[in-house]
Amino acid sequence: MILDGKSVSAKIIEELKASLDSREIKPCLAVILVGDDPASRVYVRNKKKKAEYIGVRTDIFEYPSDVEESVILNKIEELNNNPEITAILVQMPLPEHISRDKIVCSISPKKDVDCFTPENTGRLSIGMEPYFYPATPQGILMLLDVYNIPVEGKHAVVIGRSNIVGKPMAQMLLNRNATVTVCHSKTENLEEIIKTADIVVSAVGKKIVRCKMVKNKSVIIDVGIYRDSNGNLTGDIDFEEVEPVAGFITPVPGGVGPMTIASLMYNIVKS
């Protein structure tokens, strides 16, 4: 069965919109955008469009690529102290002269809807409730829940160890009582490990999972998305090979991507 992230995401967005329509107090999102990276501008525009659709006021603060780090830190402090601002996003990547760590650490955990701050990631890592969960892993679990796919007691293999997807995904699966194996570029016998998985989450950005590597009727979650040599959007999973073997599988596009947006909007409304 194909896990249709697009339709599930659309339903969540409409539920969030209905929730805000009935409230007098609305959340307010502040987005900081530094530089002229075209992809970043697209991401910010899409976030603003979706947020405003559900009823979230969105303020975008744009700065040139040569802006001093102190200017951004001062703006974040101002936003932290503004009670009208409930959510803060700093669009990545940042120019090299600006420390990502300093910027992330300066955001109030209670407004950190990306779940990047040490407090939120630390809470997650020790099993405490963070103020917000990371958007992509949370979106994946939302999708599994909609399709009534159990996690508890299952062997989940997470391929990739990024701070945005791999590490928090492993922790959130562990917090749901899955047995979790994290694989990465230095992992030996990757194929043998994947073959033992009831659930596979791949987030590496290259074609890595093929039919011979997956267990029959397993759950295959493809986080990777990029363009192949023909310009077509594709992911980490060889979809045509793996689909006949998998029990559940996400497509690219239309799987994890829309769920990430829905999850981020959920966090903004929660804020």
Side-chain angles (χ1 to χ4, degrees):
M1 178 180 288
I2 294 176
L3 300 175
D4 187 355
K6 188 175 181 179
S7 65
V8 173
S9 171
K11 183 180 179 186
I12 292 171
I13 292 296
E14 292 305 319
E15 289 172 351
L16 293 173
K17 184 177 185 301
S19 172
L20 287 185
D21 285 345
S22 64
R23 298 187 196 180
E24 290 185 11
I25 299 175
K26 313 286 187 183
C28 180
L29 169 66
V31 181
I32 293 176
L33 176 62
V34 182
D36 296 314
D37 180 71
S40 291
R41 288 193 170 276
V42 170
Y43 294 146
V44 168
R45 185 170 66 245
N46 289 342
K47 289 171 186 175
K48 176 180 172 68
K49 183 178 179 181
K50 192 67 70 175
E52 292 186 340
Y53 172 76
I54 65 175
V56 176
R57 194 186 98 204
T58 306
D59 295 337
I60 298 177
F61 301 92
E62 297 189 36
Y63 297 91
S65 58
D66 60 353
V67 65
E68 293 185 9
E69 181 181 85
S70 60
V71 173
I72 305 301
L73 291 171
N74 289 338
K75 173 52 72 172
I76 292 173
E77 183 179 5
E78 176 190 321
L79 296 171
N80 285 338
N81 294 327
N82 185 345
E84 291 187 3
I85 301 296
T86 60
I88 299 173
L89 286 172
V90 178
Q91 183 62 44
M92 302 295 173
L94 292 167
E96 289 185 4
H97 70 283
I98 297 178
S99 167
R100 180 189 183 279
D101 289 346
K102 279 187 183 179
I103 297 300
V104 166
C105 289
S106 70
I107 300 170
S108 166
K110 295 182 179 180
K111 300 185 180 186
D112 169 35
V113 288
D114 270 330
C115 190
F116 285 168
T117 60
E119 181 169 345
N120 280 326
T121 56
R123 282 171 169 261
L124 176 59
S125 69
I126 62 172
M128 287 180 65
E129 184 86 9
Y131 292 107
F132 307 97
Y133 286 96
T136 297
Q138 178 173 248
I140 289 169
L141 291 178
M142 286 176 169
L143 189 61
L144 295 182
D145 289 343
V146 167
Y147 282 89
N148 296 312
I149 297 171
V151 172
E152 184 170 342
K154 304 299 182 182
H155 180 208
V157 171
V158 178
I159 310 171
R161 52 179 169 176
S162 73
N163 292 330
I164 298 174
V165 180
K167 290 177 183 176
M169 184 80 260
Q171 189 62 56
M172 290 168 73
L173 287 165
L174 192 62
N175 290 350
R176 285 200 177 197
N177 299 316
T179 299
V180 182
T181 302
V182 178
C183 299
H184 46 77
S185 60
K186 304 300 183 183
T187 300
E188 297 180 356
N189 303 318
L190 179 63
E191 182 174 332
E192 286 76 9
I193 294 170
I194 294 173
K195 280 180 179 177
T196 68
D198 303 303
I199 301 170
V200 177
V201 180
S202 185
V204 294
K206 64 179 181 179
K207 196 71 68 185
I208 194 170
V209 179
R210 302 189 180 276
C211 177
K212 64 179 182 178
M213 302 171 72
V214 302
K215 185 164 73 171
N216 194 40
K217 302 300 181 184
S218 55
V219 180
I220 309 296
I221 308 296
D222 194 344
V223 183
I225 184 165
Y226 55 94
R227 293 195 180 275
D228 62 19
S229 57
N230 297 318
N232 300 316
L233 282 174
T234 187
D236 294 356
I237 315 295
D238 192 319
F239 186 87
E240 292 184 359
E241 276 190 15
V242 174
E243 183 190 7
V245 180
F248 297 89
I249 188 170
T250 60
V252 176
V256 173
M259 291 305 302
T260 297
I261 294 295
S263 176
L264 177 61
M265 293 303 117
Y266 175 86
N267 283 351
I268 294 169
V269 171
K270 182 182 177 184
S271 76

